[in-house]
Amino acid sequence: MASPWWRGAILYHVYVRSFFDSNGDGHGDLPGVMAKLDYIQSLGVDGLWLSPIHPSPNRDWGYDIADFEGIQADYGTLEDFQALLDAAHERGLKVVLDEVLSHTSDVHPWFVESLTGGRDGPKADWYVWADPQADGTAPNNWLSVFGGPAWAYQPARRQHYHHKFLRQQPKLNWRDPGAREAALAVLDHWLDKGVDGFRLDVAGTFLHDAALTPNPPVPPDQRTGYNWSHAGNLQLHWHDSNLEENVETLDLIRRRVDAYPDRFVFGEFSEEEARCGAYLSPAEGLHSGYTFVMLLARKLEASFVTSHFETLADYPDHWPTISFSNHDVPRTVSRLGGKDASPELAKMLFALLISLKGTTLIYQGEELGLPQASLTRDQLRDPVGDLYWPYDGGRDGCRTPMPWTAGAQMGFTDGEPWLPLAVEHRGLSVEEQGEDPDSALVFSREMIGFRKATPALSRGDIAFVQTPEPVVAFVRRHDGEEVLCVFNFGDTPQVFAHPSLERAELLPLRTGEADLRGGSVGLSPHAACFLRRV
């Protein structure tokens, strides 16, 4: 029986607003994505994942949805979406939508009716409402991811409503049958139109504790820099989200998607991932999921990869989704290599991403080795950046427009771009790298092609080889094929010795220099090489 298409697939993550502007208004759009489908196809990927495309007041730039069945006006029309979907399918590309079903915008008609229709109205319980405490303070100690109490008072109901994120993002109450069915019907609506699946935003947050039990604190002696970086990280989110019974909701969603043949649904899990169902098998929960373990890593050391796969080894039936970068975290090469990260490091990290077991997500520009952009406070559009400036510049540095060509506008738009074009991206455009045989883009295409032609890399198991730092090595195996993948995380030459190398052939695809001699292979700084058993 053939494996489903998503098992070992590579999806290209398009942050629509920053991808390509087709009409000169400074915002990327769906016709812009369509205009660049040939480029996406040329990478060799299996499909694309689109950031939310629905109407939104953009308090959180599309993750606060006002209409689940429409298209954001900045992005185009329903006809534009259908044209994009058809054109992608003609090229053999899948299209996956980003659906935010845990919460809505506060201007969504569902919430407006819940707020104004009274406590006995038909949608009264579609959101999480609770009475204030006697002194007027919030119902409990739950904290928002974006700062402050996770509750907002509304005089119209004389109650607070819960919001895991911004106060303009009220939490949908999945415990209410009507609200739950309405959310599931969103999936049906887009599946009926022919989309190939969904990425579910914050998939651990569908359920809340009905008793509103306070969250416990992270013990002071266990707090790290991550915990202190945001107030909400100082408590364990066991009751506002990440409930153990969340797994039942994930299973319900996956079965709803399974009613349509050959579709895929995977989730984002940012907290308490083992508790809330991130590592279930495809038959028990979602088809797959990814966590923030590697997305939050700040040091280029072996544990960046090995610790996550040690966790995954405890869940052998789970098929992971692997991601190093996305629209929420600093770009990989800057996060792990600092301001002076080299092109060789960018290529090595891309080779590592493509080599690991799982369904792989590439964030737009990752194939170019783009570094993080530096912005001033007056240039920020992200509410998180504004809240924590200057400690945290927010998420705008990874959301700046895609550089397509050389020149002042980098080919993104003829108008004023919604975010500044990154000076750090000069010389790294698609046009310029396409003409350089040693560029990150050329290597990325070759690396994806290598994976597609090597079943062990796309569908095989993974076994790590014990190596001294800074070398990381693992074997991918499938149907008798074995490929040894070796990476030098260090900025000095390294030698990796292993008995299996006596019977190995050094494959031509590599980044940096690699020299096989008997039972050892020498690697230049930030090199990656691949060997096949002979």
Side-chain angles (χ1 to χ4, degrees):
M1 184 175 178
S3 296
W5 67 264
W6 48 263
R7 196 175 182 92
I10 301 173
L11 296 178
Y12 188 78
H13 174 193
V14 175
Y15 191 77
V16 177
R17 192 170 296 278
S18 294
F19 194 59
F20 182 63
D21 172 20
S22 71
N23 59 7
D25 66 357
H27 300 267
D29 46 48
L30 295 178
V33 178
M34 186 167 172
K36 298 298 183 181
L37 277 181
D38 287 344
Y39 169 74
I40 296 173
Q41 183 183 28
S42 77
L43 297 175
V45 300
D46 298 283
L48 51 155
W49 149 32
L50 300 174
S51 58
I53 60 173
H54 307 310
S56 167
N58 286 328
R59 296 284 191 164
D60 190 24
W61 294 105
Y63 285 85
D64 51 325
I65 292 173
D67 174 8
F68 285 109
E69 296 185 0
I71 300 294
Q72 174 71 7
D74 291 341
Y75 292 169
T77 64
L78 282 167
E79 290 75 19
D80 290 328
F81 173 75
Q82 191 63 53
L84 170 61
L85 182 64
D86 293 343
H89 286 167
E90 288 171 5
R91 290 167 172 79
L93 295 170
K94 306 292 187 180
V95 176
V96 172
L97 296 187
D98 198 334
E99 289 299 344
V100 189
L101 299 179
S102 175
H103 53 262
T104 71
S105 166
D106 61 350
V107 302
H108 194 292
W110 296 348
F111 182 73
V112 173
E113 184 174 346
S114 186
L115 169 64
T116 62
R119 295 195 187 192
D120 297 321
K123 292 185 174 61
D125 296 323
W126 277 37
Y127 292 81
V128 182
W129 293 95
D131 294 333
Q133 297 191 57
D135 61 359
T137 54
N140 62 19
N141 75 336
W142 294 353
L143 291 175
S144 162
V145 172
F146 289 170
W151 296 94
Y153 181 70
Q154 268 291 356
R157 281 190 53 147
R158 299 182 180 180
Q159 286 184 305
H160 287 77
Y161 65 85
H162 173 46
H163 56 91
K164 175 78 172 174
F165 300 94
L166 295 175
R167 68 182 305 277
Q168 295 88 0
Q169 294 170 292
K171 173 74 177 66
L172 199 62
N173 182 13
W174 274 71
R175 294 188 178 280
D176 180 271
R180 181 174 61 247
E181 178 56 31
L184 291 170
V186 171
L187 304 178
D188 295 338
H189 176 82
W190 293 101
L191 290 167
D192 285 337
K193 289 186 177 298
V195 303
D196 299 287
F198 306 97
R199 175 261 191 192
L200 298 180
D201 190 57
V202 291
T205 69
F206 291 117
L207 296 183
H208 70 288
D209 177 53
L212 304 185
T213 305
N215 282 330
V218 175
D221 61 349
Q222 296 179 20
R223 293 176 180 175
T224 65
Y226 167 74
N227 298 115
W228 287 110
S229 66
H230 297 283
N233 296 342
L234 295 173
Q235 60 182 218
L236 297 169
H237 291 274
W238 287 358
H239 302 298
D240 61 332
S241 51
N242 309 308
L243 275 65
E244 293 177 345
E245 62 190 290
N246 189 63
V247 302
E248 299 169 12
T249 301
L250 301 179
D251 180 73
L252 178 67
I253 292 171
R254 191 258 311 148
R255 283 188 277 116
R256 192 75 168 231
V257 173
D258 275 349
Y260 296 77
D262 209 26
R263 310 300 170 93
F264 177 45
V265 58
F266 70 102
E268 172 201 45
F269 297 87
S270 58
E271 303 166 337
E272 306 289 345
E273 52 267 15
R275 177 184 175 90
C276 64
Y279 302 132
L280 295 172
S281 75
E284 299 170 298
L286 304 180
H287 294 131
S288 186
Y290 73 90
T291 73
F292 270 58
V293 174
M294 292 188 292
L295 291 167
L296 293 175
R298 292 296 188 271
K299 292 182 179 179
L300 185 58
E301 54 192 14
S303 60
F304 156 57
V305 173
T306 58
S307 62
H308 184 50
F309 276 86
E310 286 171 5
T311 299
L312 292 176
D314 294 332
Y315 304 92
D317 295 329
H318 171 67
W319 182 262
T321 296
I322 301 299
S323 176
F324 288 176
S325 180
N326 65 25
H327 62 286
D328 280 334
V329 299
R331 286 191 175 273
T332 312
V333 68
S334 297
R335 199 174 75 245
L336 297 175
K339 292 183 178 179
D340 299 321
S342 68
E344 285 303 315
L345 174 61
K347 288 190 277 188
M348 186 272 285
L349 289 169
F350 192 87
L352 176 66
L353 172 68
I354 299 299
S355 301
L356 291 170
K357 175 185 176 180
T359 295
T360 303
L361 307 179
I362 300 171
Y363 181 48
Q364 65 183 47
E366 199 164 7
E367 75 279 12
L368 303 174
L370 296 184
Q372 182 80 348
S374 297
L375 304 178
T376 59
R377 187 173 190 176
D378 64 296
Q379 294 172 323
L380 299 182
R381 310 297 293 274
D382 177 23
V384 177
D386 185 65
L387 176 67
Y388 286 108
W389 181 273
Y391 171 79
D392 186 338
R395 300 168 292 180
D396 288 325
C398 65
R399 297 177 175 183
T400 55
M402 181 82 166
W404 293 102
T405 65
Q409 298 292 82
M410 296 186 184
F412 168 71
T413 182
D414 293 329
E416 182 68 23
W418 81 285
L419 277 176
L421 296 155
V423 296
E424 294 87 351
H425 298 173
R426 291 176 182 166
L428 297 177
S429 71
V430 170
E431 176 186 55
E432 292 162 289
Q433 291 204 39
E435 297 170 352
D436 178 3
D438 295 322
S439 70
L441 175 58
V442 171
F443 175 77
S444 296
R445 286 176 170 144
E446 292 174 346
M447 187 67 219
I448 293 172
F450 176 51
R451 166 162 155 163
K452 303 294 283 188
T454 309
L457 288 185
S458 59
R459 298 190 296 278
D461 292 328
I462 189 169
F464 281 82
V465 178
Q466 186 140 12
T467 59
E469 294 267 14
V471 174
V472 172
F474 50 84
V475 177
R476 301 292 311 277
R477 295 185 178 93
H478 182 74
D479 280 352
E481 179 185 44
E482 292 189 8
V483 176
L484 176 63
C485 310
V486 186
F487 306 86
N488 179 9
F489 279 19
D491 55 9
T492 60
Q494 299 292 324
V495 175
F496 168 61
H498 196 268
S500 65
L501 294 176
E502 297 279 0
R503 308 182 309 279
E505 168 194 10
L506 186 63
L507 299 177
L509 180 65
R510 70 196 66 159
T511 178
E513 299 297 325
D515 182 24
L516 177 63
R517 297 187 182 184
S520 65
V521 60
L523 299 165
S524 64
H526 298 147
C529 70
F530 305 91
L531 305 100
R532 182 175 276 118
R533 301 288 177 84
V534 295

